[in-house]
Amino acid sequence: MTHTHLTGHRGATTAVLAVGGGGLAVATWIGGDHVLAIGLTAFYAVAAVAAYLWSGRDSDVGAIMRVGGDERQQRLDHDATALAGLAMGTVALIGAIVSAARNHGDIGGYGLICFVGGVTYAASLLILKRRT
């Protein structure tokens, strides 16, 4: 085992899972599905513990999960985020097209996701361009 110094915050991913999962569980409880809310609480608690343990490992994924790492690991994270964004945008666009065909032009929630993604992308380009 190597004794390298692990940089970053192990609790970052853990906190996202705990807060996001807790919010989803509370919303599910309020919605009336108490069994699912308890199941979600248990699932996200296990996921948060697993993320905390995994983020402590000396690996690329561990470094990314603790919001640390070297430039190569950060580039991996940026590339994976970009690919995930493209996948989500593609699904939203296809969903908007299908919704428009089924609902006589109403693109619904998928259209909102496309709009938010497009505006966020354009604003990010403007902000990042000014920083460099």
Side-chain angles (χ1 to χ4, degrees), residues 84-132:
L86 288 171
M88 290 172 57
T90 300
V91 169
L93 181 60
I94 292 169
I97 292 168
V98 170
S99 289
R102 288 184 177 169
N103 300 317
H104 306 290
D106 181 18
I107 56 176
Y110 292 109
L112 177 62
I113 293 169
C114 290
F115 175 77
V116 169
V119 168
T120 303
Y121 183 80
S124 297
L125 280 179
L126 290 172
I127 292 167
L128 293 172
K129 182 180 176 192
R130 290 178 185 257
R131 283 189 3 188
T132 57

Side-chain angles (χ1 to χ4, degrees), residues 60-61 63-65 67-87 121 124 128 131-132:
D60 289 339
V61 175
I64 291 167
M65 289 176 70
V67 194
D70 58 25
E71 290 179 13
R72 185 184 63 79
Q73 292 163 336
Q74 290 175 2
R75 185 66 192 165
L76 285 170
D77 182 39
H78 285 267
D79 290 348
T81 301
L83 289 173
L86 288 171
Y121 183 80
S124 297
L128 293 172
R131 283 189 3 188
T132 57

Side-chain angles (χ1 to χ4, degrees), residues 26-87:
V26 167
T28 304
W29 184 276
I30 292 170
D33 196 343
H34 299 153
V35 174
L36 180 57
I38 293 168
L40 287 169
T41 302
F43 172 78
Y44 279 102
V46 170
V49 169
Y52 183 80
L53 294 174
W54 197 354
S55 66
R57 298 184 70 195
D58 186 22
S59 66
D60 289 339
V61 175
I64 291 167
M65 289 176 70
R66 65 180 169 270
V67 194
D70 58 25
E71 290 179 13
R72 185 184 63 79
Q73 292 163 336
Q74 290 175 2
R75 185 66 192 165
L76 285 170
D77 182 39
H78 285 267
D79 290 348
T81 301
L83 289 173
L86 288 171

